[in-house]
Amino acid sequence: MRDAELSEDIRMAHQANLGVYGARKIHAELNREGVKVARCTVERLMKAEGLPGIPGEDPKDHVR
């Protein structure tokens, strides 16, 4: 039941960052903390838990 443990870690990291971190940043944070997990696993569990990230700005908006 590694998914259950990871889901809790993901939920805590998401809440600690005010709900703005997406899968990429949650993945990086967990790996920094020593929790080895694949980004696709973080994406899958975040989707299952209904945890959204805040999308970044569109790079096309910054073209001069």
Side-chain angles (χ1 to χ4, degrees), residues 3 6 8-9 19 25 31 33-35 38 40-41 50-51 55-56 58 63:
D3 280 1
L6 287 174
E8 183 61 31
D9 289 340
K25 288 187 176 181
N31 278 288
E33 293 174 358
V35 180
C40 59
T41 303
L51 299 174
D58 190 355
V63 175

Side-chain angles (χ1 to χ4, degrees), residues 15-59:
Q15 289 174 350
N17 292 288
L18 307 176
V20 298
Y21 272 18
R24 185 176 59 88
K25 288 187 176 181
I26 296 289
H27 168 257
E29 182 171 327
L30 291 176
N31 278 288
R32 273 194 306 270
E33 293 174 358
V35 180
K36 298 300 179 195
V37 60
R39 193 176 79 222
C40 59
T41 303
V42 174
E43 292 169 354
R44 177 176 55 83
L45 294 174
M46 283 184 72
K47 186 174 184 177
E49 293 288 325
L51 299 174
I54 302 298
E57 293 181 2
D58 190 355

